[in-house]
Amino acid sequence: MNNAAVKAAVKFSLKATRKPPLGQSFALAGPEMLRLEFVLKKLMLWTGYAGVVVIYGGFLFLLLSGQDTRALPWYILLSPWVCVFFGLPSAQQHAVVGWFINKFRR
């Protein structure tokens, strides 16, 4: 191999192994990624809201009708809140984490 081919191969390998800047990816970068993230966050938020209404409504129906609710696992009541949390903007997510930390430090 000649010297120019070696330099080109090294340059290509360094370029291929370099990590993208924080918050960017190789496949989608720029406005497409921001739009996709926005849509996915809104989808998670509305899925969480619907889950809270449906799951808590069903739980309250079972509770108030006198049926046994011991068979329902506890994580069913928490799962819609996970969707709501990940659907929030990152500033509100940090505020929620700070609230939990302050709540349990007392």
Side-chain angles (χ1 to χ4, degrees), residues 8-21:
V10 169
K11 185 177 178 182
F12 177 75
S13 68
L14 288 176
K15 193 175 188 180
T17 58
R18 186 177 42 187
K19 291 185 178 182

Side-chain angles (χ1 to χ4, degrees), residues 19-31:
K19 291 185 178 182
L22 189 62
Q24 292 183 358
S25 69
F26 286 116
L28 290 175

